[in-house]
């Protein structure tokens, strides 16, 4: 019975998904658009998470608490920020949204937040497109920025713009995930943040 319950909830979300998602979360975006439109951009670390849901409801949300390490864009003066994501596990009920990854406890990253007030399916702009990880590179002995799927970021190109509406299947346009001429090392967090701040000028 529990297995059927999980299947039912997952199927229900798949049916409702197009109604819940906004255009910015479904379609491919680019760095210029994402940087301009995000309400908040920050480097942070996930320090807590809790799953909540109304009594009797099959809709669960995970409230993720971030320690704000560096504010790149926006107005926010608190040391911590809580963002709400659809999905999570509580008791024998698990709710998952296809193609969405909720930030995990202990991860450090750079996050482009679409809106800190609205209860969106995923508050991160473009979902995986605005969700970058900061990881330690053992070989290089330094921190590096990667996409959510683990691709190292080598550069940010503000000139690569999304010219037609299509579904996103990878990083935002302008996120360079292959070595380019003169750039053969992944970006350090400081370099990534500098590039983003330059886009805001």
């Amino acid at each position: 019975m529990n297995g059927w319950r999980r299947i039912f909830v997952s199927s229900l979300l798949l049916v409702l998904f197009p109604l819940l998602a906004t255009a910015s979360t479904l379609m491919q975006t680019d760095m210029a658009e994402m940087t301009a439109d995000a309400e908040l951009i920050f480097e942070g670390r996930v320090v807590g998470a809790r799953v909540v849901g109304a009594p009797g409801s099959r809709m669960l949300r995970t409230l993720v608490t971030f320690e704000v390490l560096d504010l790149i864009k926006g107005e926010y003066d608190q040391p911590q920020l809580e963002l709400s994501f659809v999905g999570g596990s509580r008791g024998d009920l698990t709710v998952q949204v296809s193609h969405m990854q909720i930030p995990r406890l202990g991860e450090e990253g750079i996050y482009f937040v679409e809106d800190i007030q609205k209860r969106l399916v995923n508050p991160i702009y473009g979902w995986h497109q605005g969700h970058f990880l900061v990881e330690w590179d053992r070989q290089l002995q330094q921190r590096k920025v990667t996409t959510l799927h683990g691709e190292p970021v080598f550069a940010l190109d503000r000139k690569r713009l999304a010219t037609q509406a299509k579904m996103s299947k990878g990083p935002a346009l302008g996120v360079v995930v292959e070595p380019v001429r003169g750039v053969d090392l992944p970006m350090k967090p400081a370099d990534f943040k500098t590039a983003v701040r330059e886009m805001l000028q």
Side-chain angles (χ1 to χ4, degrees):
M1 184 67 178
N2 291 341
W4 283 107
R5 190 178 183 191
R6 291 189 182 95
I7 292 171
F8 171 78
V9 173
S10 297
S11 299
L12 179 63
L13 280 175
L14 288 174
V15 171
L16 294 177
F17 180 70
L19 301 176
L20 293 171
T22 64
S24 63
T25 58
L26 288 174
M27 309 308 293
Q28 185 177 50
T29 185
D30 57 65
M31 280 302 304
E33 175 187 10
M34 191 163 66
T35 301
D37 292 350
E39 178 183 359
L40 203 71
I41 304 173
F42 72 99
E43 181 181 5
R45 181 183 299 113
V46 179
V47 295
R50 58 192 177 95
V51 179
V52 299
S57 172
R58 290 188 172 91
M59 181 64 73
L60 299 179
R61 282 184 171 271
T62 299
L63 305 182
V64 179
T65 302
F66 298 84
E67 177 186 4
V68 179
L69 302 175
D70 188 14
L71 187 63
I72 303 166
K73 177 192 176 183
E75 297 182 6
Y76 195 79
D77 59 2
Q78 300 300 313
Q80 294 187 342
L81 171 68
E82 185 177 79
L83 296 177
S84 173
F85 298 78
V86 170
S89 297
R90 189 173 65 173
D92 63 353
L93 177 62
T94 295
V95 175
Q96 293 179 321
V97 177
S98 181
H99 305 300
M100 191 177 95
Q101 182 174 311
I102 298 173
R104 297 169 179 171
L105 189 64
E107 81 168 39
E108 184 176 335
I110 296 172
Y111 307 92
F112 291 65
V113 183
E114 184 172 345
D115 193 300
I116 63 174
Q117 299 297 333
K118 292 180 181 178
R119 291 175 67 83
L120 303 172
V121 176
N122 184 339
I124 296 179
Y125 199 103
W127 294 29
H128 60 279
Q129 298 176 89
H131 188 165
F132 297 88
L133 301 179
V134 174
E135 300 179 343
W136 178 256
D137 189 307
R138 293 182 180 179
Q139 183 176 357
L140 297 175
Q141 289 295 296
Q142 66 182 34
R143 297 198 308 158
K144 66 181 179 183
V145 177
T146 75
T147 68
L148 182 59
H149 299 130
E151 303 161 295
V153 177
F154 289 88
L156 299 180
D157 183 356
R158 72 174 78 187
K159 296 179 181 179
R160 293 198 63 190
L161 305 177
T163 57
Q164 57 183 343
K166 62 179 181 179
M167 298 293 288
S168 171
K169 296 182 180 179
L173 285 176
V175 178
V176 180
V177 293
E178 297 286 345
V180 294
R181 186 174 182 179
V183 179
D184 57 2
L185 294 177
M187 297 184 84
K188 298 177 182 178
D191 298 330
F192 184 98
K193 291 184 290 183
T194 296
V196 173
R197 289 185 170 110
E198 288 176 350
M199 289 186 183
L200 293 169
Q201 296 175 1

